[in-house]
Amino acid sequence: MRNLLKSEIRKVIYTKSFYGYLAGAIFLALLASFPAAYSIHALKSQLDGASLMDPQLVAGVYGKAISGYLFTMILGIALIGNEYQSGQIVSTFLATPQRFKVLIAKLVVAACAGIFIMVISTLVGFGGAYLGLSHYPHATAGLSIFLNLLLAAVISGAVISIMGVAIGALVRNVKVAQVGAIIWLFVVEKLIVVFWATGGKFLPSGLIVGMLNVHIDLKSSERFLNISTTNYFGVGASIALMLAYATVFAFIGSWITLRRDVD
Amino acid sequence: MSIIEFRGLTKAYKDVVAVNNLTARVEAGRITGFLGPNGAGKSTTLKCLLSLATPNSGSGLIHGAPYQALVNPMRQVGAVIESGGYNPSLSAIRNLEIIAAAAGIPDARALEVLELVELLDVAPKKVKEFSLGMKQRLSLATALLGDPEILVLDEPSNGLDPIGIAWLRTFLKNLAHDGRTILISSHQLAEMQNTVDDVLIIHKGKLITEGSMLDVIGTGTLEEAFIRLVEAS
């Protein structure tokens, strides 16, 4: 297993796209976190009760630092999907024909790479949020948001990249899988949260908010501006559900990989 | 002594039977040509032998065991499979280092095999910039990483120019001279006649003949024997 892990780590660090995903995650984290305080301040009149005096809302601004998780899913998809697409999987399976071992190594390395990307991008995003909030001296949040952010970065980095590996094993076309993942995370999940708030808490993005332990309830005449996380799961339940997601997706990925012939 | 054995191997994709109840043996220390027209089932058979595809019934065995059951298989069997085996965005040396790591082979061996296939000069070059011939040589380098006693080569001369084919012929002869067993699939019959000791010929997934080159071709050429056998099957 040590040899396999070494090989899988090389596949990640030798590939330029890994550094691209890291840069992308940092960019997204900054894009979401830095202007968040200004956006809330600017929309204050439309958002009933929105004030940066509210520590929960300030924590929500810091929470935006975790927005780069999309790239961990893209990384997971690429890790296995590109191998099938390029034919590299042939040499992988020739070196280790026990496919279950290969998949375990891939999942472990994907999880570690995902954690790396998320921790770095979240820390940078946290810095961005801090800078954005520095214009509002009365805006403060407790230390707990920083710790919750780190915890959520670790769990989401591992789980979402594992989900990506499973999706990459399932969908043969890497680009289709990656575009599908972007549409799901950026559009479908957001629409579900807006139109079916109770369902939103079960989604990965809802569980990430749950891990942050941020409780916000903002009402607006514009429905898409409504934000309510008050009924989201607590930290423990969110972690448990995220791990359940990882288990189910890892099982799906293994099942497909074990059954699939190499074209 | 047979070193590779197919026992009633059958593989179907939906309604198409690619390999039909194939039973054959490959003897140790010899170059065996695995011949057949395009679509005869050669690649599918080799993929089943190397556990890259799962047979519907029967088996392909190496030293009496499925490839999956071999301990450190790359040290026993080296393979070139049509679909490649490397990441085109990485350099030749990086690709080999990745495979070497998985098989527990020291990185220094990657340079050795690149030298063997005369690709050392282009080791840092990305594989996507390689010609087809260079890619075939890289595949051979991959197969040789574990210094295996058995080589399974699927159409290794595809895309090679006459100089490349001559190089491959000498290269394979040298490998066989070292006592290696080589199973090589091809439909380039004239070339095979100059290279192999034994032949297995399949058509529409079924074995139509096996034996030594001399027994199969008699006084004619391999091409004549091949056409006669395929038409009669």
Side-chain angles (χ1 to χ4, degrees), chain A residues 164-186:
Chain A
V165 170
I167 292 167
L170 181 67
V171 183
R172 293 187 179 215
N173 187 310
V174 178
K175 294 289 170 232
V176 168
Q178 290 181 331
V179 170
I182 292 169
I183 292 172
W184 174 265
L185 291 174
F186 268 7

mmCIF file with all atom_site columns, all heavy atoms in Angstrom, chain A residues 164-186:
data_model
loop_
_atom_site.group_PDB
_atom_site.id
_atom_site.type_symbol
_atom_site.label_atom_id
_atom_site.label_alt_id
_atom_site.label_comp_id
_atom_site.label_asym_id
_atom_site.label_entity_id
_atom_site.label_seq_id
_atom_site.pdbx_PDB_ins_code
_atom_site.Cartn_x
_atom_site.Cartn_y
_atom_site.Cartn_z
_atom_site.occupancy
_atom_site.B_iso_or_equiv
_atom_site.pdbx_formal_charge
_atom_site.auth_seq_id
_atom_site.auth_comp_id
_atom_site.auth_asym_id
_atom_site.auth_atom_id
_atom_site.pdbx_PDB_model_num
ATOM 1   N N   . GLY A 1 164 ? -15.840 13.325 -5.496  1.00 0.00 ? 164 GLY A N   1
ATOM 2   C CA  . GLY A 1 164 ? -15.333 13.569 -6.853  1.00 0.00 ? 164 GLY A CA  1
ATOM 3   C C   . GLY A 1 164 ? -14.744 12.313 -7.474  1.00 0.00 ? 164 GLY A C   1
ATOM 4   O O   . GLY A 1 164 ? -14.990 12.011 -8.645  1.00 0.00 ? 164 GLY A O   1
ATOM 5   N N   . VAL A 1 165 ? -13.981 11.557 -6.690  1.00 0.00 ? 165 VAL A N   1
ATOM 6   C CA  . VAL A 1 165 ? -13.388 10.318 -7.207  1.00 0.00 ? 165 VAL A CA  1
ATOM 7   C C   . VAL A 1 165 ? -14.502 9.360  -7.651  1.00 0.00 ? 165 VAL A C   1
ATOM 8   O O   . VAL A 1 165 ? -14.433 8.758  -8.732  1.00 0.00 ? 165 VAL A O   1
ATOM 9   C CB  . VAL A 1 165 ? -12.486 9.638  -6.141  1.00 0.00 ? 165 VAL A CB  1
ATOM 10  C CG1 . VAL A 1 165 ? -12.064 8.246  -6.585  1.00 0.00 ? 165 VAL A CG1 1
ATOM 11  C CG2 . VAL A 1 165 ? -11.251 10.491 -5.881  1.00 0.00 ? 165 VAL A CG2 1
ATOM 12  N N   . ALA A 1 166 ? -15.552 9.268  -6.824  1.00 0.00 ? 166 ALA A N   1
ATOM 13  C CA  . ALA A 1 166 ? -16.659 8.364  -7.168  1.00 0.00 ? 166 ALA A CA  1
ATOM 14  C C   . ALA A 1 166 ? -17.351 8.827  -8.441  1.00 0.00 ? 166 ALA A C   1
ATOM 15  O O   . ALA A 1 166 ? -17.671 8.012  -9.324  1.00 0.00 ? 166 ALA A O   1
ATOM 16  C CB  . ALA A 1 166 ? -17.650 8.292  -6.016  1.00 0.00 ? 166 ALA A CB  1
ATOM 17  N N   . ILE A 1 167 ? -17.553 10.136 -8.564  1.00 0.00 ? 167 ILE A N   1
ATOM 18  C CA  . ILE A 1 167 ? -18.207 10.666 -9.774  1.00 0.00 ? 167 ILE A CA  1
ATOM 19  C C   . ILE A 1 167 ? -17.304 10.426 -10.989 1.00 0.00 ? 167 ILE A C   1
ATOM 20  O O   . ILE A 1 167 ? -17.776 10.049 -12.062 1.00 0.00 ? 167 ILE A O   1
ATOM 21  C CB  . ILE A 1 167 ? -18.541 12.164 -9.599  1.00 0.00 ? 167 ILE A CB  1
ATOM 22  C CG1 . ILE A 1 167 ? -19.632 12.310 -8.531  1.00 0.00 ? 167 ILE A CG1 1
ATOM 23  C CG2 . ILE A 1 167 ? -19.003 12.796 -10.910 1.00 0.00 ? 167 ILE A CG2 1
ATOM 24  C CD1 . ILE A 1 167 ? -19.835 13.729 -8.032  1.00 0.00 ? 167 ILE A CD1 1
ATOM 25  N N   . GLY A 1 168 ? -15.991 10.612 -10.804 1.00 0.00 ? 168 GLY A N   1
ATOM 26  C CA  . GLY A 1 168 ? -15.034 10.363 -11.899 1.00 0.00 ? 168 GLY A CA  1
ATOM 27  C C   . GLY A 1 168 ? -15.036 8.913  -12.333 1.00 0.00 ? 168 GLY A C   1
ATOM 28  O O   . GLY A 1 168 ? -14.826 8.602  -13.508 1.00 0.00 ? 168 GLY A O   1
ATOM 29  N N   . ALA A 1 169 ? -15.271 8.002  -11.390 1.00 0.00 ? 169 ALA A N   1
ATOM 30  C CA  . ALA A 1 169 ? -15.340 6.577  -11.744 1.00 0.00 ? 169 ALA A CA  1
ATOM 31  C C   . ALA A 1 169 ? -16.641 6.272  -12.474 1.00 0.00 ? 169 ALA A C   1
ATOM 32  O O   . ALA A 1 169 ? -16.695 5.410  -13.350 1.00 0.00 ? 169 ALA A O   1
ATOM 33  C CB  . ALA A 1 169 ? -15.230 5.726  -10.486 1.00 0.00 ? 169 ALA A CB  1
ATOM 34  N N   . LEU A 1 170 ? -17.680 7.014  -12.108 1.00 0.00 ? 170 LEU A N   1
ATOM 35  C CA  . LEU A 1 170 ? -19.019 6.744  -12.659 1.00 0.00 ? 170 LEU A CA  1
ATOM 36  C C   . LEU A 1 170 ? -19.200 7.341  -14.057 1.00 0.00 ? 170 LEU A C   1
ATOM 37  O O   . LEU A 1 170 ? -19.720 6.688  -14.964 1.00 0.00 ? 170 LEU A O   1
ATOM 38  C CB  . LEU A 1 170 ? -20.058 7.337  -11.699 1.00 0.00 ? 170 LEU A CB  1
ATOM 39  C CG  . LEU A 1 170 ? -21.531 7.167  -12.041 1.00 0.00 ? 170 LEU A CG  1
ATOM 40  C CD1 . LEU A 1 170 ? -21.929 5.704  -11.959 1.00 0.00 ? 170 LEU A CD1 1
ATOM 41  C CD2 . LEU A 1 170 ? -22.390 7.975  -11.068 1.00 0.00 ? 170 LEU A CD2 1
ATOM 42  N N   . VAL A 1 171 ? -18.767 8.592  -14.227 1.00 0.00 ? 171 VAL A N   1
ATOM 43  C CA  . VAL A 1 171 ? -18.975 9.289  -15.509 1.00 0.00 ? 171 VAL A CA  1
ATOM 44  C C   . VAL A 1 171 ? -17.677 9.206  -16.307 1.00 0.00 ? 171 VAL A C   1
ATOM 45  O O   . VAL A 1 171 ? -16.647 9.703  -15.875 1.00 0.00 ? 171 VAL A O   1
ATOM 46  C CB  . VAL A 1 171 ? -19.357 10.776 -15.273 1.00 0.00 ? 171 VAL A CB  1
ATOM 47  C CG1 . VAL A 1 171 ? -19.640 11.477 -16.591 1.00 0.00 ? 171 VAL A CG1 1
ATOM 48  C CG2 . VAL A 1 171 ? -20.556 10.866 -14.355 1.00 0.00 ? 171 VAL A CG2 1
ATOM 49  N N   . ARG A 1 172 ? -17.739 8.578  -17.474 1.00 0.00 ? 172 ARG A N   1
ATOM 50  C CA  . ARG A 1 172 ? -16.499 8.311  -18.217 1.00 0.00 ? 172 ARG A CA  1
ATOM 51  C C   . ARG A 1 172 ? -15.862 9.561  -18.806 1.00 0.00 ? 172 ARG A C   1
ATOM 52  O O   . ARG A 1 172 ? -14.665 9.607  -18.999 1.00 0.00 ? 172 ARG A O   1
ATOM 53  C CB  . ARG A 1 172 ? -16.768 7.295  -19.317 1.00 0.00 ? 172 ARG A CB  1
ATOM 54  C CG  . ARG A 1 172 ? -17.107 5.943  -18.726 1.00 0.00 ? 172 ARG A CG  1
ATOM 55  C CD  . ARG A 1 172 ? -17.216 4.880  -19.786 1.00 0.00 ? 172 ARG A CD  1
ATOM 56  N NE  . ARG A 1 172 ? -17.514 3.609  -19.146 1.00 0.00 ? 172 ARG A NE  1
ATOM 57  C CZ  . ARG A 1 172 ? -17.066 2.444  -19.554 1.00 0.00 ? 172 ARG A CZ  1
ATOM 58  N NH1 . ARG A 1 172 ? -16.293 2.375  -20.603 1.00 0.00 ? 172 ARG A NH1 1
ATOM 59  N NH2 . ARG A 1 172 ? -17.393 1.348  -18.934 1.00 0.00 ? 172 ARG A NH2 1
ATOM 60  N N   . ASN A 1 173 ? -16.709 10.569 -19.125 1.00 0.00 ? 173 ASN A N   1
ATOM 61  C CA  . ASN A 1 173 ? -16.159 11.780 -19.734 1.00 0.00 ? 173 ASN A CA  1
ATOM 62  C C   . ASN A 1 173 ? -15.821 12.803 -18.635 1.00 0.00 ? 173 ASN A C   1
ATOM 63  O O   . ASN A 1 173 ? -16.708 13.293 -17.931 1.00 0.00 ? 173 ASN A O   1
ATOM 64  C CB  . ASN A 1 173 ? -17.188 12.358 -20.707 1.00 0.00 ? 173 ASN A CB  1
ATOM 65  C CG  . ASN A 1 173 ? -16.638 13.511 -21.506 1.00 0.00 ? 173 ASN A CG  1
ATOM 66  O OD1 . ASN A 1 173 ? -16.058 14.445 -20.941 1.00 0.00 ? 173 ASN A OD1 1
ATOM 67  N ND2 . ASN A 1 173 ? -16.796 13.458 -22.803 1.00 0.00 ? 173 ASN A ND2 1
ATOM 68  N N   . VAL A 1 174 ? -14.530 13.111 -18.492 1.00 0.00 ? 174 VAL A N   1
ATOM 69  C CA  . VAL A 1 174 ? -14.072 13.974 -17.395 1.00 0.00 ? 174 VAL A CA  1
ATOM 70  C C   . VAL A 1 174 ? -14.706 15.365 -17.469 1.00 0.00 ? 174 VAL A C   1
ATOM 71  O O   . VAL A 1 174 ? -15.166 15.913 -16.464 1.00 0.00 ? 174 VAL A O   1
ATOM 72  C CB  . VAL A 1 174 ? -12.531 14.099 -17.417 1.00 0.00 ? 174 VAL A CB  1
ATOM 73  C CG1 . VAL A 1 174 ? -12.045 15.022 -16.314 1.00 0.00 ? 174 VAL A CG1 1
ATOM 74  C CG2 . VAL A 1 174 ? -11.902 12.739 -17.262 1.00 0.00 ? 174 VAL A CG2 1
ATOM 75  N N   . LYS A 1 175 ? -14.716 15.944 -18.683 1.00 0.00 ? 175 LYS A N   1
ATOM 76  C CA  . LYS A 1 175 ? -15.250 17.306 -18.820 1.00 0.00 ? 175 LYS A CA  1
ATOM 77  C C   . LYS A 1 175 ? -16.729 17.345 -18.436 1.00 0.00 ? 175 LYS A C   1
ATOM 78  O O   . LYS A 1 175 ? -17.180 18.264 -17.745 1.00 0.00 ? 175 LYS A O   1
ATOM 79  C CB  . LYS A 1 175 ? -15.068 17.811 -20.273 1.00 0.00 ? 175 LYS A CB  1
ATOM 80  C CG  . LYS A 1 175 ? -13.618 17.979 -20.666 1.00 0.00 ? 175 LYS A CG  1
ATOM 81  C CD  . LYS A 1 175 ? -12.958 19.166 -19.962 1.00 0.00 ? 175 LYS A CD  1
ATOM 82  C CE  . LYS A 1 175 ? -11.467 19.155 -20.189 1.00 0.00 ? 175 LYS A CE  1
ATOM 83  N NZ  . LYS A 1 175 ? -10.659 19.252 -18.988 1.00 0.00 ? 175 LYS A NZ  1
ATOM 84  N N   . VAL A 1 176 ? -17.480 16.343 -18.906 1.00 0.00 ? 176 VAL A N   1
ATOM 85  C CA  . VAL A 1 176 ? -18.910 16.290 -18.582 1.00 0.00 ? 176 VAL A CA  1
ATOM 86  C C   . VAL A 1 176 ? -19.086 16.186 -17.061 1.00 0.00 ? 176 VAL A C   1
ATOM 87  O O   . VAL A 1 176 ? -19.913 16.880 -16.463 1.00 0.00 ? 176 VAL A O   1
ATOM 88  C CB  . VAL A 1 176 ? -19.582 15.091 -19.299 1.00 0.00 ? 176 VAL A CB  1
ATOM 89  C CG1 . VAL A 1 176 ? -20.985 14.827 -18.751 1.00 0.00 ? 176 VAL A CG1 1
ATOM 90  C CG2 . VAL A 1 176 ? -19.644 15.339 -20.804 1.00 0.00 ? 176 VAL A CG2 1
ATOM 91  N N   . ALA A 1 177 ? -18.274 15.333 -16.436 1.00 0.00 ? 177 ALA A N   1
ATOM 92  C CA  . ALA A 1 177 ? -18.376 15.150 -14.990 1.00 0.00 ? 177 ALA A CA  1
ATOM 93  C C   . ALA A 1 177 ? -18.039 16.450 -14.260 1.00 0.00 ? 177 ALA A C   1
ATOM 94  O O   . ALA A 1 177 ? -18.722 16.833 -13.302 1.00 0.00 ? 177 ALA A O   1
ATOM 95  C CB  . ALA A 1 177 ? -17.430 14.033 -14.544 1.00 0.00 ? 177 ALA A CB  1
ATOM 96  N N   . GLN A 1 178 ? -17.003 17.138 -14.714 1.00 0.00 ? 178 GLN A N   1
ATOM 97  C CA  . GLN A 1 178 ? -16.588 18.370 -14.032 1.00 0.00 ? 178 GLN A CA  1
ATOM 98  C C   . GLN A 1 178 ? -17.610 19.492 -14.225 1.00 0.00 ? 178 GLN A C   1
ATOM 99  O O   . GLN A 1 178 ? -17.953 20.193 -13.270 1.00 0.00 ? 178 GLN A O   1
ATOM 100 C CB  . GLN A 1 178 ? -15.206 18.801 -14.509 1.00 0.00 ? 178 GLN A CB  1
ATOM 101 C CG  . GLN A 1 178 ? -14.107 17.844 -14.005 1.00 0.00 ? 178 GLN A CG  1
ATOM 102 C CD  . GLN A 1 178 ? -12.707 18.225 -14.432 1.00 0.00 ? 178 GLN A CD  1
ATOM 103 O OE1 . GLN A 1 178 ? -12.517 18.826 -15.481 1.00 0.00 ? 178 GLN A OE1 1
ATOM 104 N NE2 . GLN A 1 178 ? -11.713 17.856 -13.644 1.00 0.00 ? 178 GLN A NE2 1
ATOM 105 N N   . VAL A 1 179 ? -18.109 19.625 -15.470 1.00 0.00 ? 179 VAL A N   1
ATOM 106 C CA  . VAL A 1 179 ? -19.121 20.663 -15.712 1.00 0.00 ? 179 VAL A CA  1
ATOM 107 C C   . VAL A 1 179 ? -20.384 20.327 -14.911 1.00 0.00 ? 179 VAL A C   1
ATOM 108 O O   . VAL A 1 179 ? -21.010 21.205 -14.300 1.00 0.00 ? 179 VAL A O   1
ATOM 109 C CB  . VAL A 1 179 ? -19.421 20.781 -17.235 1.00 0.00 ? 179 VAL A CB  1
ATOM 110 C CG1 . VAL A 1 179 ? -20.631 21.662 -17.472 1.00 0.00 ? 179 VAL A CG1 1
ATOM 111 C CG2 . VAL A 1 179 ? -18.214 21.336 -17.971 1.00 0.00 ? 179 VAL A CG2 1
ATOM 112 N N   . GLY A 1 180 ? -20.755 19.051 -14.888 1.00 0.00 ? 180 GLY A N   1
ATOM 113 C CA  . GLY A 1 180 ? -21.919 18.612 -14.104 1.00 0.00 ? 180 GLY A CA  1
ATOM 114 C C   . GLY A 1 180 ? -21.747 18.961 -12.630 1.00 0.00 ? 180 GLY A C   1
ATOM 115 O O   . GLY A 1 180 ? -22.680 19.435 -11.979 1.00 0.00 ? 180 GLY A O   1
ATOM 116 N N   . ALA A 1 181 ? -20.535 18.751 -12.110 1.00 0.00 ? 181 ALA A N   1
ATOM 117 C CA  . ALA A 1 181 ? -20.268 19.058 -10.694 1.00 0.00 ? 181 ALA A CA  1
ATOM 118 C C   . ALA A 1 181 ? -20.390 20.557 -10.441 1.00 0.00 ? 181 ALA A C   1
ATOM 119 O O   . ALA A 1 181 ? -20.960 20.983 -9.423  1.00 0.00 ? 181 ALA A O   1
ATOM 120 C CB  . ALA A 1 181 ? -18.862 18.572 -10.324 1.00 0.00 ? 181 ALA A CB  1
ATOM 121 N N   . ILE A 1 182 ? -19.874 21.358 -11.369 1.00 0.00 ? 182 ILE A N   1
ATOM 122 C CA  . ILE A 1 182 ? -19.953 22.821 -11.207 1.00 0.00 ? 182 ILE A CA  1
ATOM 123 C C   . ILE A 1 182 ? -21.418 23.266 -11.198 1.00 0.00 ? 182 ILE A C   1
ATOM 124 O O   . ILE A 1 182 ? -21.850 24.047 -10.343 1.00 0.00 ? 182 ILE A O   1
ATOM 125 C CB  . ILE A 1 182 ? -19.163 23.537 -12.338 1.00 0.00 ? 182 ILE A CB  1
ATOM 126 C CG1 . ILE A 1 182 ? -17.666 23.266 -12.172 1.00 0.00 ? 182 ILE A CG1 1
ATOM 127 C CG2 . ILE A 1 182 ? -19.440 25.036 -12.329 1.00 0.00 ? 182 ILE A CG2 1
ATOM 128 C CD1 . ILE A 1 182 ? -16.814 23.691 -13.355 1.00 0.00 ? 182 ILE A CD1 1
ATOM 129 N N   . ILE A 1 183 ? -22.181 22.716 -12.184 1.00 0.00 ? 183 ILE A N   1
ATOM 130 C CA  . ILE A 1 183 ? -23.607 23.094 -12.261 1.00 0.00 ? 183 ILE A CA  1
ATOM 131 C C   . ILE A 1 183 ? -24.335 22.662 -10.983 1.00 0.00 ? 183 ILE A C   1
ATOM 132 O O   . ILE A 1 183 ? -25.133 23.410 -10.422 1.00 0.00 ? 183 ILE A O   1
ATOM 133 C CB  . ILE A 1 183 ? -24.263 22.468 -13.518 1.00 0.00 ? 183 ILE A CB  1
ATOM 134 C CG1 . ILE A 1 183 ? -23.682 23.133 -14.778 1.00 0.00 ? 183 ILE A CG1 1
ATOM 135 C CG2 . ILE A 1 183 ? -25.781 22.619 -13.484 1.00 0.00 ? 183 ILE A CG2 1
ATOM 136 C CD1 . ILE A 1 183 ? -24.095 22.484 -16.078 1.00 0.00 ? 183 ILE A CD1 1
ATOM 137 N N   . TRP A 1 184 ? -24.031 21.464 -10.500 1.00 0.00 ? 184 TRP A N   1
ATOM 138 C CA  . TRP A 1 184 ? -24.706 20.970 -9.296  1.00 0.00 ? 184 TRP A CA  1
ATOM 139 C C   . TRP A 1 184 ? -24.404 21.872 -8.091  1.00 0.00 ? 184 TRP A C   1
ATOM 140 O O   . TRP A 1 184 ? -25.307 22.348 -7.407  1.00 0.00 ? 184 TRP A O   1
ATOM 141 C CB  . TRP A 1 184 ? -24.289 19.529 -8.996  1.00 0.00 ? 184 TRP A CB  1
ATOM 142 C CG  . TRP A 1 184 ? -24.862 19.063 -7.681  1.00 0.00 ? 184 TRP A CG  1
ATOM 143 C CD1 . TRP A 1 184 ? -24.253 19.081 -6.465  1.00 0.00 ? 184 TRP A CD1 1
ATOM 144 C CD2 . TRP A 1 184 ? -26.201 18.588 -7.446  1.00 0.00 ? 184 TRP A CD2 1
ATOM 145 N NE1 . TRP A 1 184 ? -25.107 18.638 -5.492  1.00 0.00 ? 184 TRP A NE1 1
ATOM 146 C CE2 . TRP A 1 184 ? -26.313 18.324 -6.063  1.00 0.00 ? 184 TRP A CE2 1
ATOM 147 C CE3 . TRP A 1 184 ? -27.308 18.365 -8.272  1.00 0.00 ? 184 TRP A CE3 1
ATOM 148 C CZ2 . TRP A 1 184 ? -27.486 17.840 -5.487  1.00 0.00 ? 184 TRP A CZ2 1
ATOM 149 C CZ3 . TRP A 1 184 ? -28.477 17.868 -7.675  1.00 0.00 ? 184 TRP A CZ3 1
ATOM 150 C CH2 . TRP A 1 184 ? -28.554 17.615 -6.314  1.00 0.00 ? 184 TRP A CH2 1
ATOM 151 N N   . LEU A 1 185 ? -23.112 22.135 -7.880  1.00 0.00 ? 185 LEU A N   1
ATOM 152 C CA  . LEU A 1 185 ? -22.727 22.877 -6.673  1.00 0.00 ? 185 LEU A CA  1
ATOM 153 C C   . LEU A 1 185 ? -23.072 24.366 -6.761  1.00 0.00 ? 185 LEU A C   1
ATOM 154 O O   . LEU A 1 185 ? -23.439 24.978 -5.758  1.00 0.00 ? 185 LEU A O   1
ATOM 155 C CB  . LEU A 1 185 ? -21.224 22.710 -6.407  1.00 0.00 ? 185 LEU A CB  1
ATOM 156 C CG  . LEU A 1 185 ? -20.786 21.309 -5.979  1.00 0.00 ? 185 LEU A CG  1
ATOM 157 C CD1 . LEU A 1 185 ? -19.266 21.223 -5.877  1.00 0.00 ? 185 LEU A CD1 1
ATOM 158 C CD2 . LEU A 1 185 ? -21.404 20.913 -4.646  1.00 0.00 ? 185 LEU A CD2 1
ATOM 159 N N   . PHE A 1 186 ? -22.962 24.933 -7.963  1.00 0.00 ? 186 PHE A N   1
ATOM 160 C CA  . PHE A 1 186 ? -23.175 26.373 -8.095  1.00 0.00 ? 186 PHE A CA  1
ATOM 161 C C   . PHE A 1 186 ? -24.615 26.758 -8.394  1.00 0.00 ? 186 PHE A C   1
ATOM 162 O O   . PHE A 1 186 ? -25.047 27.847 -8.088  1.00 0.00 ? 186 PHE A O   1
ATOM 163 C CB  . PHE A 1 186 ? -22.274 26.934 -9.214  1.00 0.00 ? 186 PHE A CB  1
ATOM 164 C CG  . PHE A 1 186 ? -20.945 27.429 -8.723  1.00 0.00 ? 186 PHE A CG  1
ATOM 165 C CD1 . PHE A 1 186 ? -20.554 27.223 -7.411  1.00 0.00 ? 186 PHE A CD1 1
ATOM 166 C CD2 . PHE A 1 186 ? -20.092 28.110 -9.569  1.00 0.00 ? 186 PHE A CD2 1
ATOM 167 C CE1 . PHE A 1 186 ? -19.334 27.670 -6.949  1.00 0.00 ? 186 PHE A CE1 1
ATOM 168 C CE2 . PHE A 1 186 ? -18.865 28.570 -9.120  1.00 0.00 ? 186 PHE A CE2 1
ATOM 169 C CZ  . PHE A 1 186 ? -18.489 28.346 -7.811  1.00 0.00 ? 186 PHE A CZ  1
#
